[in-house]
Structures are given as structure tokens and as C-alpha cells.
Amino acid sequence: MNLNNAIIHLITGEITLQKKELLYEGKAKKMYLSSEEGYLIQEFKDDATAFNGTKKGVIPHKGEINNAISSFLFEYLENYHIPTHFVEKLSSTEMLVRKLEIIPIEIVMRNVAAGSLCARYNIPEGTIMEYPVLEHYLKDDKLHDPMINEYHAYAFGHANPEEMHAISRIAAKVNAILKSFFDRRNLILVDFKMEFGKRGLEINLGDEISPDTCRIWDKRTHKKLDKDRFRHDMGGVEKAYAELRDRIVNS
Ligand code: ADP
Ligand code: TMP
Ligand code: ASP
């Protein structure tokens, strides 16, 4: 479902919001301008990519599932005073967000060893780590998102030490909140990726939190309920996404 007009409630009161031209189309989402200055409409697509866009496919209903999960989790995080870009869910595949100046660094938090961490450090998948690991990757598909550290971020002019400190603090808090959220639903938050951006002087959590950007396993069976099923052709991708949505949103 797509919207052209929506009645929304901003701090300024009730307004009619219109969807304007496409600002940017990425691999998993489209960002549209809106009639309200400073607000974008984030539309989730069914398109799926992996390995920096080299593997392509479609996961039916992914757009609506990821919008439902992301909207729910952003709202949940707001209750814990995490500053996010989320304003409200507008339709099945669209959410209203505050426009951010995105810092081109992907922040990955890991609780259990999986994915590139296993390959890089020769650690068996599933190893529970004694302390969460925070990693930084440069958001640049052409360079295959190389791992960087905070000093690269300062040197390349992407963020200053104060901003990186705020990002690390928010990332650790988001991890703690979501880890226990998933644990209560008999799910393991293995790892996930976050993007942050600036709105004036404030750092906000942006983008999405969904099975595209997280690894989430069933606690008892370790069944994977995330994009690893698509990355590694494990089958049952749409079913796993829908199961995750139901376990997050409906319980
Ligand atoms: P990609 O650009 O990696 O292909 P997507 O398909 O998810 O990714 O596109 C969404 C784009 O919008 C991303 O580049 C992301 O950094 C950016 N973005 C996310 N939230 C906001 C926001 N609140 N304001 C501006 N840009 C955003
Ligand atoms: P990795 O193990 O491949 O480095 O991935 C770590 C986490 O980050 C995993 O939950 C998937 C997520 N991720 C993204 O959301 N986008 C990316 O481009 C990559 C590489 C990982
Ligand atoms: N997000 C990246 C891509 O779309 C990598 C991944 O998720 O595996 O290609």
C-alpha cells in the first residue's frame, strides 16, 4: 500500500502530509521528500541484496514486515529515551522519519560470534562473547564497507570525538535494551547494524532495525530468523521474516 496524503500529528499540531519526489533509492528502501521541511518518508522495498549488492533477489512481503518490525522497535526504543529519527508508521510499507545528515559509518554490535567476525578471528559461530563487541565499518559499497576505527572517522571528517562518544554510548544502550527485549521472546540478538545521523547538534539513530540488518536466532533451536537465510540460500526466508514479525510485534 502506498500513501499520497496522510493526516499526522507533529508537535506543531495536526497537519496533512504529502509525499513528494523521490530523494534517494537505495538497495532496500526509497527515501521521499515530504511536504514538511525536515521530514522524509522512508519506504521499505521487497528487494533484497547481500554481499554489498552483488547478490540480488526479492523477498515477498519483506517491505511490510521490515516496516512493521522497525516501527515497533524504534517506538520501543523511544520509550527508553533513545533519540531516533522515527516519527510514525504511515502505511504498511512507509514510515515518517526526521531527515538526518547520515554519518557514513555502520556501527555493528555483536553479542554472539557470527558472520564476518568468525571468518576474521577464526571463532566458531555461536560462541557467546564475554562482552559486547562494537565495530565500525565505512559505509561504501564500492569499497565493500571496509572495517575502520574511530580515528579513521575523525581523520576522514565524518564525526568528531564527542559525536563518536555519543554514538558508542547510544549503541551500547540500544544493544542492552534490545538484547533483553529479544530474550523475553525466546530470541537471541546475535548481532546488528546501526546507522546514526545528525540533526543539528543532536545524534539520532536512523535507518532501520529489521531482519535485514540483524542476526536473530531462536533461543532453543538456534534457527536463523534473518537475512542469513537469503545470504546463504537456506530457504524459508519469507516464513522466517513473518515468524519474527509475529514474535516481536504480537507478543
Ligand atoms: P543503501 O543506501 O545502503 O542501499 P537503503 O536501501 O536502506 O540503503 O537506503 C536508505 C538510505 O537512507 C540509506 O543510505 C540510509 O543511510 C539513509 N537514511 C536512513 N535514515 C535516514 C534519515 N533519517 N535521513 C536521511 N537519510 C537516511
Ligand atoms: P557481518 O557479520 O557480515 O559483518 O554483519 C554483522 C551484522 O551487520 C549482521 O547483523 C548483518 C548486519 N549488516 C548489515 O546490516 N549491512 C551490511 O552491509 C553488513 C555487512 C552487515
Ligand atoms: N547490506 C549489504 C547488501 O545489501 C550486505 C549484507 O547485508 O549482507 O549487500
Side-chain angles (χ1 to χ4, degrees):
M1 189 182 80
N2 262 335
L3 114 175
N4 289 313
N5 282 299
I7 306 288
I8 58 155
H9 298 87
L10 295 177
I11 343 139
T12 45
E14 189 177 278
I15 61 154
T16 305
L17 184 100
Q18 278 164 351
K19 191 172 181 176
K20 299 279 190 185
E21 65 263 31
L22 181 68
L23 177 65
Y24 172 81
E25 176 160 7
K27 298 186 294 297
K29 298 189 290 296
K30 291 180 186 173
M31 308 300 284
Y32 289 91
L33 292 172
S34 80
S35 48
E36 273 304 290
E37 167 105 35
Y39 291 85
L40 300 178
I41 294 172
Q42 174 163 271
E43 186 184 313
F44 289 76
K45 307 196 291 184
D46 290 349
D47 298 345
T49 64
F51 312 120
N52 302 305
T54 51
K55 183 181 166 87
K56 290 190 173 70
V58 168
I59 303 174
H61 303 112
K62 177 168 84 74
E64 55 187 90
I65 293 173
N66 282 0
N67 189 34
I69 293 176
S70 276
S71 297
F72 184 94
L73 292 177
F74 276 124
E75 210 166 330
Y76 185 79
L77 289 170
E78 288 279 348
N79 294 333
Y80 286 86
H81 310 291
I82 300 293
T84 83
H85 69 162
F86 179 75
V87 180
E88 67 182 57
K89 186 169 182 272
L90 294 175
S91 76
S92 59
T93 56
E94 293 160 306
M95 71 161 71
L96 182 67
V97 300
R98 294 178 195 90
K99 185 171 200 271
L100 302 179
E101 191 193 323
I102 292 286
I103 297 168
I105 297 171
E106 300 191 347
I107 305 291
V108 170
M109 289 290 312
R110 303 180 186 269
N111 300 304
V112 176
S116 68
L117 180 130
C118 296
R120 185 175 290 118
Y121 304 109
N122 191 26
I123 295 175
E125 184 182 76
T127 307
I128 296 167
M129 293 187 289
E130 291 179 26
Y131 199 84
V133 173
L134 187 157
E135 295 172 345
H136 307 86
Y137 294 89
L138 191 64
K139 188 174 151 59
D140 188 329
D141 280 347
K142 283 201 257 8
L143 297 178
H144 308 293
D145 294 355
M147 192 187 222
I148 58 166
N149 67 36
E150 294 186 41
Y151 290 89
H152 294 96
Y154 311 148
F156 301 160
H158 296 320
N160 63 37
E162 208 182 311
E163 288 160 348
M164 288 307 282
H165 183 72
I167 289 173
S168 304
R169 198 171 38 77
I170 300 170
K173 206 172 155 192
V174 170
N175 184 45
I177 296 165
L178 293 185
K179 224 172 97 169
S180 66
F181 171 89
F182 284 113
D183 185 63
R184 289 196 300 279
R185 283 152 184 81
N186 291 317
L187 295 164
I188 303 171
L189 178 59
V190 172
D191 57 34
F192 65 112
K193 185 263 303 180
M194 283 165 278
E195 290 185 26
F196 291 90
K198 289 183 255 187
R199 204 157 53 89
L201 290 178
E202 203 183 286
I203 296 285
N204 279 198
L205 176 63
D207 207 52
E208 67 183 290
I209 308 175
S210 77
D212 272 12
T213 60
C214 301
R215 284 195 179 92
I216 296 163
W217 299 348
D218 178 81
K219 207 197 283 184
R220 194 174 53 82
T221 62
H222 283 197
K223 180 182 168 192
K224 293 177 170 44
L225 298 169
D226 56 63
K227 200 163 91 172
D228 267 352
R229 302 200 79 84
F230 169 78
R231 289 190 189 97
H232 305 299
D233 300 315
M234 296 168 73
V237 189
E238 186 190 342
K239 232 173 129 212
Y241 273 56
E243 175 182 338
L244 188 67
R245 187 247 338 260
D246 294 344
R247 288 173 71 170
I248 291 175
V249 174
N250 302 334
S251 55

